[in-house]
Amino acid sequence: MVSLKLQKRLAASVLKCGQRKIWLDPNEVSEITLANSRQNIRKLVKDGFVLKKPNVIHSRSRVKARLAAKSKGRHTGFGKRRGTRDARLPIKVLFMRRLRILRRMIRKYRDAKKIDKHTYHRLYLATKGNKYKTKRQLMEAVHKLKAEKAAEKALKDLADQKKARAKAQRARKEEKARQAAASPEE
């Protein structure tokens, strides 16, 4: 077997690739042996005695299939897990997601004039303090606060009415007393 080391090196240089990508025609060894310059190698390339091998294909089909199965929940049991629960999906990330959802909700309520800015601020701080786990809990809290506010307002209105009535009665009594005091003098 003749050594074609030189030819392979020159061919790699001419074809701008690595020596492992060079294919030398085994049937034309005698002709390839005579080529000792880049010019001769170029001629052999043109004749098709020296070729550049195609890139090896690295298929991802198996990877795709596995990822598709994983998205359905396969291959994720205890035996496949390396990190702790917190490392795989941090509690902080979950908290941030929940907080953003709840904040968005109370902001929407405030913009729609369902709650005033004071209630908004109370709810904002409560959500920040991890008081509400879900949107439903937050909604119930909003309804409760609104009901409390309405009841408070009703009581205040009632008290105001009573005060006004009492004041009117007092004024009438004073007027009567004044009239009674004024009539005997006449």
Side-chain angles (χ1 to χ4, degrees):
M1 179 78 195
V2 187
S3 174
L4 301 172
K5 219 172 179 184
L6 171 73
Q7 285 76 6
K8 200 164 240 194
R9 182 174 64 76
L10 291 174
S13 177
V14 167
L15 293 172
K16 294 188 173 67
C17 64
Q19 290 182 34
R20 64 197 288 271
K21 288 280 182 207
I22 298 297
W23 177 82
L24 303 173
D25 194 340
N27 302 325
E28 306 293 337
V29 172
S30 55
E31 203 163 319
I32 294 171
T33 313
L34 298 172
N36 59 0
S37 69
R38 288 167 203 276
Q39 193 63 48
N40 293 351
I41 294 289
R42 279 194 200 96
K43 188 177 174 300
L44 291 175
V45 169
K46 204 168 106 180
D47 296 343
F49 300 154
V50 175
L51 295 176
K52 180 180 177 181
K53 289 183 195 170
N55 288 337
V56 177
I57 293 167
H58 185 182
S59 171
R60 276 190 62 81
S61 62
R62 284 182 298 277
V63 177
K64 280 181 184 169
R66 193 169 178 83
L67 287 174
K70 250 189 161 176
S71 71
K72 290 179 183 172
R74 318 283 186 265
H75 318 291
T76 53
F78 292 121
K80 292 286 177 188
R81 299 180 196 174
R82 297 299 292 272
T84 60
R85 179 189 285 161
D86 197 39
R88 287 163 66 85
L89 183 57
I91 296 164
K92 185 177 180 180
V93 169
L94 292 174
F95 177 76
M96 275 158 53
R97 279 182 196 166
R98 191 168 67 231
L99 191 68
R100 282 170 185 166
I101 289 164
L102 296 178
R103 281 182 180 174
R104 199 177 306 131
M105 188 175 158
I106 57 173
R107 205 176 308 125
K108 211 178 276 180
Y109 273 18
R110 184 188 60 184
D111 294 343
K113 300 279 190 286
K114 287 187 181 177
I115 55 173
D116 62 344
K117 63 180 183 180
H118 305 293
T119 312
Y120 168 82
H121 192 63
R122 263 179 75 181
L123 290 170
Y124 187 94
L125 292 177
T127 50
K128 184 183 180 180
N130 200 17
K131 189 173 183 181
Y132 308 116
K133 294 274 182 283
T134 58
K135 282 167 80 171
R136 180 192 229 152
Q137 281 184 359
L138 183 57
M139 214 187 319
E140 285 168 3
V142 167
H143 293 322
K144 198 174 172 186
L145 280 171
K146 282 175 88 173
E148 278 175 21
K149 214 164 208 182
E152 215 174 276
K153 193 174 183 294
L155 284 172
K156 195 172 181 234
D157 288 349
L158 198 67
D160 286 348
Q161 283 175 359
K162 275 188 178 177
K163 273 184 192 169
R165 218 177 290 136
K167 200 174 188 183
Q169 206 168 352
R170 208 175 311 118
R172 277 200 305 274
K173 266 189 182 174
E174 284 173 8
E175 188 63 38
K176 237 185 205 176
R178 219 179 287 119
Q179 281 177 357
S183 62
E185 287 174 11
E186 289 173 7

